[in-house]
Amino acid sequence: MSGPRALTFAAAVATIARVTGRSISYVEVTPEEYHAELLAEGYPEETASALNLLFAGMRAGHLAEPADGVRRVLGRAARDFDSYAARAAAAGAWS
């Protein structure tokens, strides 16, 4: 996801909670807990490991800066997550 500002998982969840009027909280888990949860959900070991590596990069801040891919591909500025979340909630995305 790329928008005009950097966004943490906690901030994204807080936005979704606000626009849906629901009590939702973000709980950070360790990489080991995340890996175990993926396996428990039925993901293959290879996929669980790959996803854990992806999120390790995110936790390290390697993807923290917004990118300009939306502008380059679509020719317009990326939408802010707050606007996206409000529209998605109105459409029933988290009902």
Side-chain angles (χ1 to χ4, degrees):
M1 173 168 51
S2 184
R5 64 185 169 95
L7 190 66
T8 65
F9 289 121
V13 170
T15 297
I16 294 168
R18 180 177 45 76
V19 299
T20 61
R22 296 171 64 190
S23 177
I24 307 169
S25 60
Y26 171 73
V27 178
E28 189 164 344
V29 297
T30 67
E32 296 79 18
E33 291 168 328
Y34 181 60
H35 188 262
E37 183 68 26
L38 289 170
L39 294 176
E41 291 291 325
Y43 285 85
E45 172 66 37
E46 182 177 286
T47 302
S49 294
L51 285 170
N52 223 0
L53 284 173
L54 172 70
F55 284 111
M58 290 177 167
R59 283 189 296 275
H62 296 299
L63 302 172
E65 292 300 317
D68 67 345
V70 171
R71 179 173 299 286
R72 287 187 295 127
V73 172
L74 300 180
R76 64 165 176 77
R79 290 191 175 96
D80 186 71
F81 186 76
D82 289 356
S83 298
Y84 160 77
R87 284 195 347 248
W94 297 292
S95 297

